[in-house]
C-alpha cells in the first residue's frame, strides 16, 4: 500500500478550520466527487491521474492514523455516523471520515465467483461486466492496497472459535483463509473501529495519497452535499452545480453554504446517501439507467467507460 497521507499532502485537505472556500466556489472544476470511500477515492484518483482538476468533498473529518485509539466508546462515532429509519427500526453505521467506509471495514478482499458476474451482467444488461474484464482491475486494487492471504497465526479469538465450531461439525475442510487488505496485520480484531497501527489498507493510505501526489486533487472535508442544480436534456438530467454546507465537525454548526460548479459530478456517498442526494434533487429522474458512458479528459482523450 502507499505511504499514507504525508504532512505535505495533507495541506491540500481542507477543513472548516484551516481554509476558506472562496476559491472553491469560484472555480469550474473538471469533476466534483461526492464521497471519499472506496467508490469516490478510486474515481478521484483515476481522474486526477488522467489530468482532470478534481474536487472531492467528504462529510466527515480527516482523522490521521495517530488519532485512532482502539476505544470502543470513542472511535465508532468519531469515524462513523449512525443513521436510523423512522421509528428506529433499522440502524445503519456508515463511514463519516475521510476514507469513508474503508476506515471502519474489516478489510476482507473477496472476489465474487463467476455466477455472480453472470447475474450482474444479466440484471444490468451490460455484457462487459465479466470476471475476465474486471480481473486486471482486481489485480490493480490488490497491488495498490497490499492484499495478502491471512495466516492461521493471525487469527483472533473470534476466528478461532469459528474454526472450533467447524471442526465439531466435521466441516473443518470447508474453511478458507481469506485474503485481506492487511499486510503486516497484528491480529487485534479491531479493524471495524479503525486501525491505529495503519496496517489495514484504506483509501487514506492508498488511492487518496496517489491522487494528492498528482497535484490535481483538492479535498474539502466536513462538507455535506445538499442537492443538485441542473437541467433536463434529451438524454436525461444534466447537473450543473451542487449545493453544499460546511459544518464544524465538533458542534455540527453551519459555517458556510455555497454551490460547487463542475463539468461532471460523481456521486459515491454510499447506497443510502447517494440515493438520498438524488431524491433531494427534485428535477432528477431516479429511474435506473444502465447505459454505458464515457468520461472525457479536458484535452479530449477518453477514459474507458464504466456502467452506471
Amino acid at each position: 500500500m502507499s505511504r499514507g497521507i504525508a504532512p505535505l499532502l495533507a495541506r491540500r485537505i481542507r477543513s472548516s478550520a484551516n481554509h476558506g472556500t472562496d476559491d472553491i466556489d469560484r472555480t469550474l472544476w473538471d469533476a466534483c466527487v461526492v464521497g471519499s470511500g472506496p467508490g469516490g477515492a478510486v474515481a478521484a484518483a483515476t481522474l486526477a491521474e488522467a489530468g482532470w482538476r478534481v474536487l472531492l468533498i467528504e462529510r466527515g473529518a480527516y482523522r490521521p492514523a495517530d488519532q485512532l485509539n482502539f476505544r470502543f466508546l470513542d472511535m465508532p462515532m468519531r469515524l462513523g455516523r449512525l443513521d436510523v429509519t423512522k421509528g428506529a427500526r433499522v440502524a445503519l453505521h456508515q463511514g463519516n471520515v475521510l476514507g469513508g467506509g474503508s476506515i471502519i471495514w474489516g478489510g476482507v478482499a473477496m472476489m465474487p465467483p463467476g455466477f455472480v458476474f453472470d447475474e450482474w451482467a444479466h440484471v444490468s444488461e451490460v455484457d462487459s461486466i465479466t470476471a475476465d474484464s474486471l480481473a486486471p482491475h482486481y489485480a490493480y486494487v490488490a497491488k495498490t492496497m497490499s492484499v495478502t492471504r491471512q495466516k492461521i497465526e493471525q487469527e483472533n479469538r473470534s476466528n478461532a472459535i469459528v474454526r472450533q465450531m467447524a471442526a465439531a461439525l466435521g466441516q473443518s475442510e470447508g474453511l478458507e483463509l481469506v485474503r485481506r487488505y492487511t499486510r503486516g496485520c497484528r491480529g487485534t480484531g479491531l479493524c471495524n473501529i479503525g486501525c491505529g497501527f495503519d496496517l489495514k489498507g484504506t483509501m487514506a493510505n492508498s488511492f487518496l495519497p496517489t491522487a494528492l501526489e498528482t497535484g490535481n486533487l483538492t479535498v474539502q472535508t466536513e462538507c455535506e452535499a445538499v442537492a443538485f442544480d441542473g437541467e433536463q436534456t434529451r438524454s436525461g438530467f444534466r447537473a450543473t452545480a451542487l449545493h453544499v454546507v460546511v459544518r464544524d465537525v465538533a458542534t455540527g454548526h453551519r459555517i458556510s453554504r455555497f454551490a460547487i460548479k463542475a463539468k461532471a459530478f460523481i456521486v459515491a456517498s454510499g447506497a443510502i446517501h447517494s440515493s438520498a442526494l438524488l431524491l433531494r434533487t427534485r428535477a432528477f429522474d431516479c429511474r435506473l439507467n444502465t447505459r454505458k458512458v464515457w468520461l472525457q479528459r479536458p484535452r479530449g482523450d477518453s477514459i474507458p467507460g464504466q456502467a452506471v
Side-chain angles (χ1 to χ4, degrees):
M1 67 183 65
S2 297
R3 300 172 299 284
I5 298 175
L8 184 61
L9 297 177
R11 295 178 184 177
R12 297 187 66 86
I13 300 175
R14 299 162 175 260
S15 70
S16 61
N18 67 5
H19 285 87
T21 58
D22 289 346
D23 58 333
I24 289 182
D25 59 8
R26 289 200 300 257
T27 301
L28 177 62
W29 302 89
D30 293 322
C32 173
V33 180
V34 182
S36 65
V42 175
T46 302
L47 295 176
E49 288 185 298
W52 291 47
R53 193 178 183 192
V54 181
L55 172 67
L56 182 148
I57 65 170
E58 163 59 46
R59 181 179 62 181
Y62 170 44
R63 306 286 188 191
D66 58 10
Q67 294 184 13
L68 310 185
N69 57 30
F70 294 114
R71 295 176 183 170
F72 273 103
L73 298 182
D74 185 17
M75 288 294 95
M77 290 299 102
R78 284 170 63 86
L79 302 179
R81 170 170 161 168
L82 186 66
D83 293 311
V84 296
T85 58
K86 185 176 181 180
R89 295 182 178 180
V90 178
L92 181 65
H93 186 239
Q94 298 186 100
N96 191 46
V97 63
L98 186 65
S102 73
I103 305 298
I104 57 173
W105 64 5
V108 177
M110 300 179 66
M111 183 172 180
F115 72 86
V116 174
F117 291 103
D118 295 338
E119 182 179 344
W120 287 349
H122 174 72
V123 172
S124 67
E125 298 181 359
V126 179
D127 295 335
S128 59
I129 300 179
T130 66
D132 289 340
S133 66
L134 292 180
H137 302 287
Y138 275 99
Y140 175 65
V141 170
K143 180 180 179 181
T144 301
M145 301 188 68
S146 299
V147 173
T148 56
R149 191 171 295 281
Q150 181 168 294
K151 300 177 182 179
I152 292 181
E153 54 267 27
Q154 291 177 313
E155 289 184 347
N156 54 40
R157 179 58 180 159
S158 299
N159 289 346
I161 290 173
V162 173
R163 185 173 293 281
Q164 293 170 8
M165 293 169 58
L169 294 171
Q171 300 293 328
S172 56
E173 71 281 357
L175 295 180
E176 179 182 350
L177 292 173
V178 299
R179 288 159 54 86
R180 303 183 67 213
Y181 304 102
T182 50
R183 177 174 294 174
C185 177
R186 298 189 183 181
T188 63
L190 300 175
C191 296
N192 291 335
I193 58 172
C195 181
F197 302 123
D198 203 22
L199 295 175
K200 179 180 72 173
T202 70
M203 298 301 108
N205 58 23
S206 58
F207 286 96
L208 285 174
T210 296
L212 288 166
E213 286 172 352
T214 68
N216 294 325
L217 176 67
T218 298
V219 177
Q220 175 68 55
T221 60
E222 303 167 32
C223 182
E224 184 174 358
V226 178
F228 284 107
D229 274 342
E231 57 187 5
Q232 290 289 350
T233 67
R234 291 184 179 180
S235 58
F237 178 79
R238 179 179 178 274
T240 56
L242 174 63
H243 294 273
V244 300
V245 173
V246 175
R247 299 184 185 276
D248 183 297
V249 71
T251 65
H253 294 159
R254 188 177 77 183
I255 294 176
S256 62
R257 182 169 185 161
F258 55 93
I260 296 169
K261 298 178 178 62
K263 300 174 184 177
F265 292 88
I266 297 173
V267 181
S269 49
I272 302 298
H273 290 289
S274 293
S275 300
L277 173 58
L278 298 179
L279 287 170
R280 289 195 297 268
T281 303
R282 294 172 181 253
F284 183 79
D285 186 349
C286 290
R287 291 174 297 180
L288 180 63
N289 185 343
T290 58
R291 293 177 305 158
K292 194 166 186 177
V293 299
W294 292 84
L295 299 174
Q296 296 293 322
R297 299 184 187 179
R299 55 179 175 271
D301 299 329
S302 63
I303 297 174
Q306 302 292 328
V308 296

